[in-house]
Amino acid sequence: MRSRSMFRSARLLLATCAALCLPSALEAAAPTFTKRPTVGPNANLRAPMVGMLRFASDQPVTTVLSVSDRSRRWEMEFDASWDPSKGIPLLGLEADVRHEIFVTIRNAAGETARFPNKLVFVPQPMASAAYAGPRIRVTKISPGRTEPGYTLFVLRRAVPIRPPYRSVGQLNFMRQWGALVVLDDHGRIVWRYESESRIAGIDQFEDGNILFHRADNRTLEVDLLGNVVNQWYAARNPDITSSAGVGIDVQTLHHQPHEMPNGNFLALTANARMVKGYYDDAFDLSKRRDRMVMGDDIIEIDRKTGAVLWRWSAWDHIDPFRIGYEATNAYWPTRGFPDHADWTHGNGVSYDAADDSVLVSFRTQEAILKIDRKSGKVKWILGRPGGWGALEDKVLRPVGQPFLWPSHQHNPQLTAFGTIVVYDNGFLRARPPEPWMAPDKSFSRGVEYKVDEKAMTVRQVWSSHDGPVPGSCFSWAMSDARRLSKTGNMFIVDAICADRERGLGVDESDAGKYLNEVPSYGRIREYDHATKDVLFEAIIEDPNELTGYEVFGGLRIPSLYPPGRAPKIRPLP
């Protein structure tokens, strides 16, 4: 009887252990690889520097990678939300450099397993084909003083020939290629995206995806693997050849898109009207004829549906005969709109959530306007007075010295410090028929303004310089300026730097040497706001000076991974 009772007790103990002890034993068991790790290139060749790590394990795991290259060793830790069987993207690796990787996995109980073999990955270099990429030369680095994160910028290429005289092949060389490039804080190329079309402005959505316009009148949203998440196109553009994505009832989509807090985005669209007796030559206002004129609308696009939720048109507020230099140049004729004048040339929009308003830059109007989104009324104008008609009283009054109006400016941005930063291209620094500043005396700069809306005044509170200084560029088009939120540093992109030449012309119809006919390069700088010390500088160039590389614009981004999913990165000795 006793042995039978002992047997029953033993069975009960085993049953209890099976029910209670076994799960703990399983949790404590070290994880194992059920499929060996491999690393290879991203399947999407538009983002060829991305590595993809794949393996399988018998339970959910945290993945820890020990990575080394020619000069560094670091650790990347991906939490269990990353499913290795679907692939873990390896971002931030230097181009054309051998990376050695060891993989360790860890379960929730802290038990680990290390794959014994070393993995090797070499991201493709920037120059994957003839003329596909420039030399990027970093001349200044200041560790610990620059904004943390990465530099994302738009790369374009040009030929040093006057725009109206470029052949079809030369135009295709420019239009049928574009790139997005990321540099780390040491100026190393760690990511790139290559496009079959020239790229214009960029923005980054809160979820980490990148938003940009292309020269073929498409706006794309892509992730960091290069995958197209959404796309929109100008349905009334004569050159649209594909209906992929969502069509917008406009003629063009161009320049700088901008995400709004509600997840939608602002975009610029130029649309044409016939204007009788319009100017034929901005340098000779006596020449007039009937012609088509491009003027800009600002639209808010629903990110999910593509619906246009809000629209504001310059045609409804500004006199089309308020002309600026370059308004009669061949900007739109070389973009599929023959003999169309470039009246407003919108080149940047941003949203002010504080009062539900929009900032817009009109290059050939030499002005930035602030627009109340609800009423559509112009709140103020930061730009040269004269010719505004009923809006003349909206022109801000400058106070303090030094002060310069922005000229042919590009892409204004609101800052976390309550100011407005814009790239002042400095082109001509006049409106017709005023005498203009010659290129050999011209200069471009980043500039920051403070607007007092009650007093209707504007004060210049910072500029990289207020005249030509050694090392200053004259970037007559494109470019970018931003104030960085964490350090307060100034981030300045000079799209085009060219040697000034006495007598260099700015009139496309003049037989002398023109701006586009000299070699140029792009430049990215970060300045200390207080001292104006240059903390970082990168030169983007063709050492043979056969191709002009342009940096349309750029921004600093905190991570290459989606917010909340970035791996922990730790340096190793």
Side-chain angles (χ1 to χ4, degrees):
M1 273 309 266
R2 196 166 157 192
S3 63
R4 225 180 259 168
S5 175
M6 289 178 61
F7 181 69
R8 278 196 296 268
S9 297
R11 281 198 304 174
L12 181 61
L13 182 61
L14 286 171
T16 302
C17 187
L20 301 176
C21 303
L22 189 56
S24 299
L26 282 176
E27 287 177 8
T32 60
F33 292 95
T34 58
K35 188 175 181 180
R36 59 183 294 138
T38 61
V39 63
N42 182 26
N44 189 335
L45 296 182
R46 296 214 174 277
M49 287 181 60
V50 178
M52 292 300 295
L53 172 71
R54 287 185 172 85
F55 65 88
S57 61
D58 64 340
Q59 55 188 285
V61 294
T62 292
T63 302
V64 182
L65 307 180
S66 299
V67 187
S68 61
D69 61 16
R70 58 187 173 183
S71 60
R72 301 174 297 156
R73 294 182 67 246
W74 70 98
E75 192 173 80
M76 303 175 73
E77 181 177 309
F78 297 84
D79 64 30
S81 69
W82 292 95
D83 183 351
S85 66
K86 295 179 180 178
I88 296 177
L90 305 184
L91 303 167
L93 306 184
E94 187 177 358
D96 203 24
V97 170
R98 176 186 171 94
H99 294 79
E100 297 182 351
I101 303 166
F102 285 94
V103 182
T104 300
I105 54 178
R106 184 178 68 240
N107 65 12
E111 297 290 328
T112 65
R114 179 182 172 95
F115 186 68
N117 298 336
K118 173 176 63 183
L119 306 178
V120 174
F121 180 64
V122 181
Q124 290 187 29
M126 183 66 200
S128 59
Y131 298 108
R135 175 175 67 185
I136 298 180
R137 183 164 49 91
V138 177
T139 62
K140 180 77 173 180
I141 301 174
S142 306
R145 296 182 65 188
T146 54
E147 184 86 357
Y150 300 84
T151 298
L152 167 65
F153 65 92
V154 173
L155 183 64
R156 296 147 62 113
R157 61 190 184 192
V159 292
I161 296 173
R162 196 173 306 207
Y165 303 150
R166 288 167 179 160
S167 69
V168 172
Q170 289 163 342
L171 288 172
N172 289 340
F173 176 77
M174 296 171 59
R175 293 175 181 168
Q176 295 177 1
W177 183 85
L180 304 174
V181 181
V182 172
L183 306 179
D184 69 6
D185 56 359
H186 281 75
R188 295 174 285 236
I189 300 173
V190 294
W191 184 86
R192 82 180 193 274
Y193 170 91
E194 292 190 6
S195 169
E196 74 271 29
S197 179
R198 189 174 172 89
I199 296 175
I202 51 172
D203 198 12
Q204 187 177 40
F205 282 120
E206 282 293 323
D207 61 13
N209 290 346
I210 300 171
L211 178 70
F212 59 91
H213 287 315
R214 298 197 320 193
D216 58 358
N217 289 282
R218 286 186 173 274
T219 303
L220 268 65
E221 176 188 347
V222 302
D223 62 22
L224 270 294
L225 301 184
N227 301 317
V228 175
V229 179
N230 287 303
Q231 63 176 307
W232 306 265
Y233 65 92
R236 289 195 285 118
N237 188 276
D239 292 333
I240 288 293
T241 58
S242 169
S243 59
V246 178
I248 310 295
D249 186 28
V250 294
Q251 286 184 299
T252 63
L253 287 168
H254 65 93
H255 279 85
Q256 187 77 37
H258 177 80
E259 185 190 19
M260 300 174 68
N262 61 11
N264 299 331
F265 65 94
L266 296 171
L268 285 161
T269 168
N271 298 278
R273 295 188 186 182
M274 171 61 72
V275 178
K276 293 185 178 297
Y278 200 71
Y279 302 107
D280 195 37
D281 185 349
F283 292 91
D284 184 353
L285 299 186
S286 66
K287 296 180 179 179
R288 304 282 193 102
R289 62 187 172 89
D290 300 348
R291 66 184 306 188
M292 298 296 288
V293 176
M294 282 291 211
D296 277 290
D297 292 1
I298 311 165
I299 56 176
E300 177 188 348
I301 298 175
D302 187 296
R303 182 180 177 187
K304 295 179 179 178
T305 67
V308 175
L309 303 178
W310 177 81
R311 183 188 294 260
W312 184 94
S313 178
W315 289 105
D316 299 332
H317 298 271
I318 306 173
D319 181 358
F321 286 92
R322 188 183 192 276
I323 191 173
Y325 286 115
E326 281 200 305
T328 55
N329 280 13
Y331 183 83
W332 287 111
T334 60
R335 289 160 175 80
F337 294 90
D339 199 35
H340 284 52
D342 187 19
W343 165 47
T344 52
H345 195 110
N347 62 18
V349 287
S350 58
Y351 179 72
D352 189 349
D355 59 0
D356 191 25
S357 61
V358 173
L359 288 184
V360 61
S361 168
F362 292 137
R363 173 180 168 88
T364 46
Q365 292 294 305
E366 305 262 319
I368 300 166
L369 280 63
K370 186 172 186 180
I371 299 157
D372 179 74
R373 202 164 70 95
K374 185 176 181 180
S375 68
K377 293 182 179 180
V378 175
K379 299 186 72 170
W380 51 251
I381 300 170
L382 198 172
R384 298 175 182 279
W388 292 107
L391 294 176
E392 198 68 47
D393 65 344
K394 301 297 184 182
V395 177
L396 297 170
R397 177 173 56 87
V399 294
Q401 291 294 329
F403 183 90
L404 281 174
W405 293 113
S407 182
H408 272 53
Q409 69 291 324
H410 198 262
N411 196 26
Q413 297 287 318
L414 293 159
T415 76
F417 305 89
T419 56
I420 296 166
V421 171
V422 68
Y423 190 89
D424 175 14
N425 294 85
F427 187 80
L428 303 184
R429 296 196 179 276
R431 279 189 58 240
E434 300 167 0
W436 42 270
M437 183 178 287
D440 61 301
K441 294 182 173 60
S442 297
F443 62 95
S444 305
R445 62 185 186 145
V447 60
E448 183 179 17
Y449 296 104
K450 178 70 173 179
V451 172
D452 184 333
E453 294 192 355
K454 290 184 179 179
M456 288 295 286
T457 60
V458 58
R459 182 183 300 273
Q460 180 180 302
V461 296
W462 189 92
S463 67
S464 50
H465 46 277
D466 295 303
V469 298
S472 63
C473 284
F474 176 39
S475 183
W476 60 88
M478 301 173 283
S479 309
D480 224 336
R482 300 170 189 259
R483 189 166 179 190
L484 303 173
S485 59
K486 286 186 168 47
T487 58
N489 293 341
M490 299 297 289
F491 177 78
I492 310 295
V493 174
D494 300 294
I496 308 166
C497 290
D499 294 332
R500 296 181 183 88
E501 293 188 17
R502 188 171 298 278
L504 195 63
V506 295
D507 183 355
E508 287 182 344
S509 62
D510 192 315
K513 185 172 284 189
Y514 183 65
L515 288 170
N516 293 87
E517 297 172 325
V518 297
S520 63
Y521 59 91
R523 186 175 72 182
I524 299 171
R525 279 183 168 182
E526 186 173 335
Y527 291 82
D528 183 289
H529 191 273
T531 66
K532 296 190 182 181
D533 293 342
V534 176
L535 306 179
F536 176 86
E537 181 181 79
I539 306 295
I540 297 92
E541 63 188 354
D542 176 2
N544 299 310
E545 296 188 334
L546 297 174
T547 302
Y549 283 103
E550 304 166 345
V551 183
F552 185 95
L555 63 157
R556 294 282 289 178
I557 60 175
S559 176
L560 295 176
Y561 290 88
R565 299 200 69 202
K568 297 176 182 177
I569 300 178
R570 296 178 286 269
L572 295 174

